[in-house]
Amino acid sequence: MTRTHTLSGRRLGRPALVAAALLLGVAVGLAGCAASTPSASLDSDAATERYQPVVDDLATALTEAYPTVTWTDDSETRVTDDGDGGGCSLAIGTKRGDPSLPDTAGTWKDVMAVANPVLSEHGFAEIDGEESLEGGWTGIRSTDDTGAELRFADKGYTLLSLTVAVTDTDC
């Protein structure tokens, strides 16, 4: 005698039930991967050593490509509470570009053409699109496999920032 089960009112034989269970398991597994974010793997000292050169190399490449944009330090590197009680984040000192980088370059796509080779060299994904940000800002961003996020934001001037979760517990 073949045992049957129902799924949405339909009777299923054992092979169909096994297939349905496998598909459900794969779907749940993939959803879990998509929803997960990389956990912190570096302390703030190691993260600063790894990510400060990314910001510096980008500022150098962009200065060479667009010498009329002046980059200045807008904030210092700092470790902060990530805000959701989950740990600490490192923010590499933000750089400010004056005047507006995309206005000077022509478009964000022109900026991407200069930034993407530097990002790839440092293990970041290439940027392929512009974002509208709150308050009338526009921007572009990239991440690496540790979850570090590099962001350009622009509204008359450009901010270049990089943040990453760190293993520090004192923030």
Side-chain angles (χ1 to χ4, degrees), residues 67-135:
T68 59
V69 176
T70 302
W71 293 95
T72 56
D73 294 331
D74 195 56
S75 67
E76 294 183 12
T77 297
R78 64 205 175 281
V79 176
T80 60
D81 186 314
D82 67 8
D84 67 5
C88 301
S89 293
L90 172 74
I92 297 294
T94 301
K95 299 232 180 249
R96 178 181 169 141
D98 281 305
S100 166
L101 180 60
D103 288 352
T104 302
T107 67
W108 275 120
K109 287 195 182 288
D110 296 318
V111 174
M112 290 177 222
V114 174
N116 279 338
V118 176
L119 293 171
S120 292
E121 179 183 315
H122 288 283
F124 279 77
E126 288 194 357
I127 303 169
D128 62 3
E130 178 182 338
E131 301 176 346
S132 292
L133 306 173
E134 193 174 318

Side-chain angles (χ1 to χ4, degrees), residues 27-39:
V28 168
L30 289 175
C33 289
S36 68
T37 56
S39 60

